[in-house]
């Protein structure tokens, strides 16, 4: 038996004996664990589950053991993912610390910073938010104006961020700040970490068209940050910022696969139910064609993600692939919700209350929420700019 | 099976690419067109392709083939698509040849396949009737008579039908017009009494024919496969040929895109390369994404055939729909982005647009394959 197969058996056995049935899929949104100081563990079993999984190092399986991971290879991680899916276990922890910040800390942070922050991310003790966009600097992110000035041994931060995901629920922020106003815009940015409980930090949630408030405006007034919280070099933050965006895009790219979503039923099954059938076919032939097209596109997209992983393993592949997947995946997700709302008809347009099922109301809200997918993490237009420049070599 | 090419496949690709660039650039197709070549492709070139093993690439070694898979075939088809090489791979190897290889008896295989692999014998698949691909819509009839069958009907859009030595004819032996049951395949000599062939001149400058069969008499030994159960062979043949055509199309629109990209980088207007304008950049980036998705589905479809997977039919339809849409988009964008020169006969980009349209329609367009996909998935 190969080492990989031995690992598979080990993982399978562990999941079977340690994964409580209450921690099987599906997972209601109210029971998703994001960790951090405010985490209430609405289902108490999820606390036990998180403790067990993080004890194994499996919230971040490929991170080194000294930082809270399990030191698994990519191949072992794939096996673990497969077994996780097979056992129908819930993810123990959702976290921007895991998907975005951790990978760049591993690459750019000092040893001391890694030992300080990575284990807390792995165990879900600290929840992180992202201080990137500003009111006047969205797509033109590198123009950001939030300032950090070194006074004695502390940076004094002043300015405003916007679209900070879950700022009101987060403990710490990774934040882009301008440390050299005289330098060209890409060369005067630094990457700072600080506690959201610091004096001078305030947060105002923003209500979206979907009715939810996942984003906030975040204000900094003379926030004092220890000098040691600078990651990488002073004024060298843009490189880290871009790398983190690649991780963010990779995370968002997964959304196109229809993994997110309100219903376990596929679009075609819903269409048969809501639109009706004639000789086993969806009665509306144009809708049938659009659903087929969407499903095919989705499958081509999934196959492309697989090819990209295989090429990366073989040392090939386009460097700006994350932009392609971000662009295509989010456009597909929007299209998916447009189709779902078409399928549900007037039942897909309810806002709240009686007359609509829970899943219909959820679909409506998610349809509206999906409009942000092609804006957050860099708009579709920005992704197309990146592809044109970095992959196709078209001139500025 | 991995979607990354193996070293052997890369080597095959390099050989094929060099061969078509030197022996059969787009200029060769123009020359055939302008000379009104009666065959529509170069027999010498086909002999050389046979020597390279391409004509027998998917057939077993015992019949003179190379015994390779569809992953390898796809590599060759993609390169043939890049320079729009006129060749009888589709007609002789993938359609009619495959019908013999998959449905024929031992005698038929031994008779036909070795001379197909050697490049000597040309075949055609006489299937379509009317103006579009509807595999079970067959009105051509084969009626029993004392010694065998008499076939009558009119076939259209028969690839290389005008120069084939033998035809595989799909005829109805029972059932109603659109029934899947009741189809039978016959291997028919083109010199048989009652066959008349008319070459049709089409926009992609390749060879096609309309074929009329009037009381064509064939013996029972001409039956390929089982009487009334021809669709079992037709379905598999069409899936494999459609996968191969998708690979050819992938090569075509990849090439058309790369040529357009070069033009965007070099054509200067308003004192700047036109590729610096965002109105064109974004469209180029979208085309790039479409090509990447197309490549993924084509590679996986070819491997699905090699692995004999259950999802071959739905993968094939996904690949053909996707490649038809991509070639349509890129064919048109390529001409538009070349500006005035793009609509001249002198510039080669127009050849890609023309081939795009014909290959989109061949073996079912995108809408056909979306309907088929929906039926396969039960909606």
């Amino acid at each position: 038996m190969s080492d990989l197969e031995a690992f598979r058996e080990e993982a399978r056995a562990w999941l079977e004996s340690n994964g409580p049935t209450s921690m099987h899929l599906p997972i209601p949104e109210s029971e998703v664990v994001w960790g951090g100081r405010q985490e209430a563990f609405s289902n108490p079993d999820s606390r036990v589950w998180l403790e067990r999984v993080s004890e194994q190092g499996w919230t971040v399986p490929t991170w080194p053991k000294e930082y809270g991971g399990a030191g698994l290879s990519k191949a072992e991680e794939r096996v673990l993912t497969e077994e996780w899916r097979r056992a129908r276990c819930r993810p123990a922890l959702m976290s921007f610390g895991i998907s975005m910040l951790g990978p760049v800390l591993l690459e750019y942070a000092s040893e001391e910073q890694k030992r300080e922050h990575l284990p807390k991310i792995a165990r879900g003790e600290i929840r992180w938010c992202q201080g990137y966009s500003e009111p006047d600097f969205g797509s033109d992110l590198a123009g950001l104006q939030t300032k950090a000035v070194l006074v004695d041994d502390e940076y004094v931060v002043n300015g405003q961020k916007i679209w900070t995901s879950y700022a009101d629920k987060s403990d710490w922020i990774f934040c882009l700040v301008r440390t050299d106003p005289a330098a060209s815009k890409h060369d005067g940015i630094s990457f700072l970490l600080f506690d959201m409980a610091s004096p001078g930090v305030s947060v105002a949630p923003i209500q979206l068209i979907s009715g939810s408030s996942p984003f906030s405006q975040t204000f900094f007034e003379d926030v004092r940050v220890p000098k040691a919280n600078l990651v990488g070099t002073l004024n060298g933050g843009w490189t880290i910022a871009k790398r983190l965006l690649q991780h963010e895009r990779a995370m968002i790219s997964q959304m196109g696969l229809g993994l997110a979503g309100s219903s376990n039923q596929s679009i075609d099954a819903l269409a048969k139910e809501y639109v009706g059938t004639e000789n086993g076919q969806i009665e509306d032939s144009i809708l049938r064609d659009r659903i087929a097209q969407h499903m095919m596109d989705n499958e081509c997209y999934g196959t492309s993600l697989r090819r990209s992983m295989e090429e990366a393993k073989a040392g090939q592949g386009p460097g700006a692939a994350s932009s392609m997947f971000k662009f295509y995946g989010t456009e597909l997700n929007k299209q998916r919700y447009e189709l779902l709302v078409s399928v549900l008809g007037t039942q897909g347009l309810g806002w709240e209350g009686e007359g609509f099922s829970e899943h219909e109301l959820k679909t409506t809200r998610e349809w509206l929420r999906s409009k942000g997918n092609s804006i957050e993490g860099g708009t579709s237009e920005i992704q197309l700019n990146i592809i044109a420049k970095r992959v196709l070599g078209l001139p500025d | 099976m991995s979607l990354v090419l193996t070293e052997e496949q890369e080597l095959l690709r390099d050989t094929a690419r060099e061969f078509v660039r030197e022996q059969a650039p787009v200029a060769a197709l123009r020359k055939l067109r302008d000379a009104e070549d009666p065959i529509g492709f170069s027999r010498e070139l086909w002999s050389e392709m046979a020597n390279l093993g391409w004509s027998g690439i998917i057939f077993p070694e015992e019949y003179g083939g190379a015994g390779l898979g569809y992953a390898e075939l796809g590599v060759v088809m993609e390169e043939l698509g890049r320079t729009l090489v006129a060749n009888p791979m589709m007609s002789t190897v993938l359609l009619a040849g495959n019908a013999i290889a998959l449905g024929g008896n031992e005698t038929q295989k031994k008779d036909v396949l070795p001379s197909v692999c050697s490049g000597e014998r040309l075949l055609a698949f006489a299937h379509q009737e009317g103006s579009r691909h509807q595999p079970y819509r067959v009105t051509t009839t084969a009626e029993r008579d004392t010694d065998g069958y008499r076939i009558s009907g009119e076939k259209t859009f028969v690839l290389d039908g005008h120069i084939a030595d033998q035809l595989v004819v799909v005829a109805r032996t029972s059932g109603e017009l659109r029934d899947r049951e009741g189809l039978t395949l016959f291997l028919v000599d083109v010199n048989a009494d009652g066959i008349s062939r008319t070459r049709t001149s089409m926009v992609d400058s390749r060879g096609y024919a309309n074929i009329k069969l009037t009381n064509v008499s064939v013996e029972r030994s001409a039956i390929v496969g089982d009487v009334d159960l021809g669709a079992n062979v037709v379905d598999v043949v069409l899936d494999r040929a459609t996968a191969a055509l998708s690979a050819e199309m992938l090569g075509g629109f990849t090439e058309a895109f790369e040529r357009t990209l070069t033009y965007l980088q070099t054509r200067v207007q308003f004192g700047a390369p036109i590729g610096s304008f965002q109105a064109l950049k974004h469209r180029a980036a979208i085309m790039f994404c479409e090509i990447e998705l197309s490549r993924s589905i084509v590679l996986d479809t070819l491997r699905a055939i090699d692995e004999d997977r259950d999802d071959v039919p739905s993968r094939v339809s996904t690949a053909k729909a996707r490649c038809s849409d991509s070639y349509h988009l890129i064919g048109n964008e390529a001409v538009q982005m070349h500006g005035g020169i793009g609509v001249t006969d002198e510039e080669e980009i127009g050849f890609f647009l023309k081939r795009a349209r014909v290959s989109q329609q061949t073996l079912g367009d995108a809408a056909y394959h979306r309907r088929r996909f929906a039926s396969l998935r039960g909606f």
Side-chain angles (χ1 to χ4, degrees):
Chain A
M1 187 162 56
S2 72
D3 290 352
L4 214 51
E5 284 314 299
F7 175 71
R8 185 184 296 280
E9 292 205 351
E10 184 193 317
R12 187 173 296 183
W14 190 91
L15 288 167
E16 268 168 25
S17 52
N18 290 282
T21 44
S22 62
M23 288 294 105
H24 285 182
L25 291 169
I27 177 165
E29 208 166 316
S30 60
E31 293 187 18
V32 173
V33 173
W34 286 87
R37 297 167 190 150
Q38 296 181 42
E39 179 60 57
F41 294 105
S42 66
N43 180 337
D45 288 356
S46 61
R47 183 197 297 270
V48 178
W49 181 227
L50 174 58
E51 280 167 5
R52 286 182 187 170
V53 172
S54 54
E55 184 66 25
Q56 285 287 104
W58 284 355
T59 53
V60 285
T62 59
W63 292 9
K65 285 184 177 164
E66 63 264 39
Y67 307 135
L72 299 190
S73 66
K74 284 270 174 203
E76 288 169 328
E77 185 194 29
R78 261 198 305 282
V79 168
L80 184 60
T81 309
E82 284 163 14
E83 289 306 315
W84 213 282
R85 203 170 294 151
R86 187 178 172 278
R88 298 188 31 72
C89 287
R90 295 179 182 180
L93 179 63
M94 294 288 285
S95 152
F96 297 147
I98 292 174
S99 56
M100 293 198 271
L101 178 62
V104 302
L105 289 184
L106 281 168
E107 194 174 350
Y108 297 100
S110 68
E111 188 55 35
E112 209 181 335
Q113 289 167 332
K114 290 182 199 173
R115 289 190 183 278
E116 168 63 23
H117 297 294
L118 292 173
K120 291 179 186 168
I121 292 173
R123 292 193 297 266
E125 289 169 12
I126 293 294
R127 182 169 179 180
W128 287 84
C129 61
Q130 178 182 23
Y132 265 47
S133 295
E134 298 180 5
D136 290 335
F137 301 92
S139 287
D140 184 14
L141 178 64
L144 59 97
Q145 292 298 326
T146 294
K147 273 186 314 212
V149 180
L150 193 60
V151 179
D152 301 326
D153 271 348
E154 290 176 326
Y155 288 103
V156 179
V157 180
N158 277 286
Q160 183 191 346
K161 295 289 175 181
I162 194 167
W163 310 123
T164 324
S165 303
Y166 306 112
D168 52 333
K169 299 184 174 71
S170 297
D171 309 310
W172 277 62
I173 187 168
F174 50 92
C175 192
L176 298 180
V177 291
R178 186 155 302 283
T179 38
D180 184 354
S184 72
K185 65 179 184 179
H186 296 99
D187 298 327
I189 296 170
S190 297
F191 194 97
L192 269 191
L193 312 175
F194 55 90
D195 195 323
M196 291 289 279
S198 311
V201 177
S202 59
V203 169
I206 302 166
Q207 187 173 347
L208 299 185
I209 50 177
S210 64
S212 69
S213 302
F215 300 110
S216 294
Q217 300 192 75
T218 311
F219 304 91
F220 310 121
E221 200 183 332
D222 291 331
V223 180
R224 304 189 78 87
V225 178
K227 195 180 163 185
N229 290 12
L230 174 78
V231 179
T233 56
L234 184 65
N235 299 321
W238 184 243
T239 308
I240 306 174
K242 280 193 296 185
R243 175 64 109 210
L244 188 136
L245 282 173
Q246 288 180 354
H247 292 293
E248 180 178 10
R249 281 165 201 152
M251 176 186 71
I252 297 174
S253 301
Q254 300 293 333
M255 292 193 306
L257 289 172
L259 296 175
S262 51
S263 173
N264 290 323
Q265 265 182 305
S266 54
I267 301 184
D268 53 306
L270 284 169
K272 283 165 96 170
E273 184 188 329
Y274 279 82
V275 183
T277 56
E278 201 178 322
N279 300 323
Q281 297 182 358
I282 296 166
E283 234 181 276
D284 179 335
S285 63
I286 292 172
L287 190 58
R288 178 177 184 242
D289 181 84
R290 285 171 58 208
I291 290 172
Q293 168 118 46
H294 178 76
M295 287 171 73
M296 287 169 149
D297 286 349
N298 214 37
E299 290 178 19
C300 290
Y301 182 78
T303 307
S304 293
L305 278 175
R306 193 186 118 206
R307 178 161 73 91
S308 166
M309 279 186 271
E310 289 176 358
E311 283 174 348
K313 219 173 88 188
Q316 306 173 6
S322 68
S323 284
M324 177 179 95
F325 289 119
K326 203 280 176 183
F327 163 70
Y328 218 101
T330 56
E331 294 296 335
L332 268 180
N333 201 48
K334 285 198 300 181
Q335 196 185 76
R336 175 182 144 77
Y337 279 106
E338 286 297 336
L339 271 175
L340 279 168
V341 167
S342 296
V343 163
L344 299 186
T346 50
Q347 289 304 108
L349 297 170
W351 183 251
E352 61 189 5
E354 288 183 20
F356 305 97
S357 72
E358 195 182 330
H359 120 259
E360 287 166 347
L361 290 172
K362 202 156 176 253
T363 301
T364 313
R365 301 296 183 109
E366 283 172 353
W367 161 65
L368 289 164
R369 176 64 187 87
S370 73
K371 297 302 166 194
N373 295 162
S374 52
I375 299 167
E376 57 205 313
T379 62
S380 282
E381 290 73 17
I382 288 292
Q383 307 312 322
L384 294 175
N385 281 349
I386 293 172
I387 294 166
K389 183 172 178 171
R390 304 265 172 233
V391 184
L392 304 180
L394 290 173
D396 277 329
Chain B
M1 225 180 271
S2 167
L3 299 174
V4 181
L5 295 191
T6 63
E7 270 178 45
E8 289 79 10
Q9 288 163 353
E10 281 185 359
L11 202 66
L12 178 63
R13 180 195 61 197
D14 295 344
T15 308
R17 187 167 296 180
E18 198 183 322
F19 178 81
V20 302
R21 292 259 144 102
E22 282 173 14
Q23 309 285 320
V26 178
L29 178 66
R30 179 194 293 278
K31 216 166 140 187
L32 289 164
R33 180 197 70 176
D34 292 349
E36 294 180 34
D37 187 275
I39 297 174
F41 60 86
S42 158
R43 286 298 301 241
E44 294 76 39
L45 188 80
W46 182 235
S47 290
E48 285 183 50
M49 287 166 69
N51 288 337
L52 288 168
W54 297 354
S55 51
I57 192 164
I58 50 169
F59 296 137
E61 288 172 64
E62 54 179 313
Y63 304 112
L68 294 173
Y70 279 75
E72 286 77 21
L73 170 83
V75 166
V76 171
M77 292 305 292
E78 189 182 332
E79 295 308 318
L80 292 172
R82 272 189 172 262
T83 60
L84 307 174
V85 182
N87 70 85
M89 282 295 283
M90 286 303 297
S91 59
T92 300
V93 178
L94 284 151
L95 288 165
N98 244 344
I100 302 296
L102 297 167
N105 57 38
E106 203 51 37
T107 313
Q108 290 166 331
K109 286 195 256 191
K110 277 189 179 142
D111 169 45
V112 175
L113 295 180
S115 55
V116 164
C117 294
S118 68
E120 289 157 281
R121 192 184 311 212
L122 298 173
L123 307 175
F125 194 58
H127 182 202
Q128 183 174 315
E129 300 174 3
S131 62
R132 54 207 352 96
H133 179 73
Q134 294 168 294
Y136 308 141
R137 192 195 169 284
V138 173
T139 60
T140 297
T141 55
E143 285 174 5
R144 287 296 301 268
D145 73 2
T146 45
D147 300 324
Y149 288 83
R150 287 186 172 276
I151 308 173
S152 292
E154 292 185 31
K155 295 293 184 181
T156 55
F157 195 57
V158 182
L159 280 63
D160 296 322
H162 60 303
I163 38 94
D165 303 303
Q166 284 176 303
L167 307 173
V168 172
V169 178
V170 183
R172 185 162 290 288
T173 38
S174 70
E176 301 294 322
L177 181 61
R178 287 185 175 78
D179 286 355
R180 186 176 180 276
E181 282 230 351
L183 301 180
T184 306
L185 275 57
F186 297 90
L187 181 62
V188 183
D189 201 280
V190 292
N191 296 318
D193 285 340
I195 292 185
S196 77
R197 302 188 282 173
T198 312
R199 181 172 180 186
T200 50
S201 166
M202 302 197 67
V203 293
D204 67 345
S205 308
R206 296 206 188 176
Y208 305 89
N210 289 338
I211 297 181
K212 190 170 181 190
L213 303 104
T214 315
N215 278 318
V216 177
S217 182
V218 292
E219 294 178 8
R220 285 191 58 83
S221 62
I223 295 170
V224 179
D226 297 318
V227 174
D228 288 344
L229 299 177
N232 293 343
V233 178
V234 169
D235 285 350
V236 182
V237 167
L238 290 179
D239 271 345
R240 297 184 175 199
T242 306
L245 178 61
S246 301
E248 188 220 288
M249 295 168 81
L250 171 67
F253 56 73
T254 303
E255 176 75 18
F257 177 69
E258 287 173 6
R259 287 177 179 220
T260 305
L261 202 55
T262 303
Y263 192 75
L264 294 178
Q265 283 160 334
T266 49
R267 167 73 173 171
V268 172
Q269 288 289 279
F270 305 103
I274 59 172
S276 65
F277 304 142
Q278 210 171 39
L280 298 181
K281 269 185 180 170
H282 284 190
R283 282 151 63 192
I286 288 169
M287 285 192 270
F288 169 79
C289 295
E290 298 295 342
I291 291 173
E292 285 299 304
L293 261 69
S294 305
R295 180 170 301 282
S296 302
I297 184 65
V298 167
L299 290 172
D300 190 57
T301 302
L302 295 164
R303 281 152 187 76
I305 295 172
D306 287 335
E307 291 163 3
D308 201 18
R309 276 170 19 203
D310 293 339
D311 66 347
V312 166
S314 77
R315 288 261 111 178
V316 164
S317 279
T318 307
K320 182 59 165 59
R322 154 71 42 188
C323 286
S324 294
D325 286 341
S326 295
Y327 215 169
H328 185 82
L329 171 76
I330 292 164
N332 282 289
E333 286 285 65
V335 167
Q336 173 68 19
M337 289 185 181
H338 274 78
I341 191 81
V343 288
T344 64
D345 184 60
E346 188 190 347
E347 165 57 49
E348 288 180 348
I349 204 72
F351 282 78
F352 289 88
L353 175 71
K354 290 169 175 173
R355 178 62 190 154
R357 249 309 172 176
V358 178
S359 51
Q360 266 172 266
Q361 208 63 48
T362 306
L363 302 178
D365 61 7
Y368 166 83
H369 283 285
R370 285 195 291 271
R371 286 196 300 274
R372 180 168 179 258
F373 177 92
S375 296
L376 287 166
R377 292 293 173 88
F379 67 91

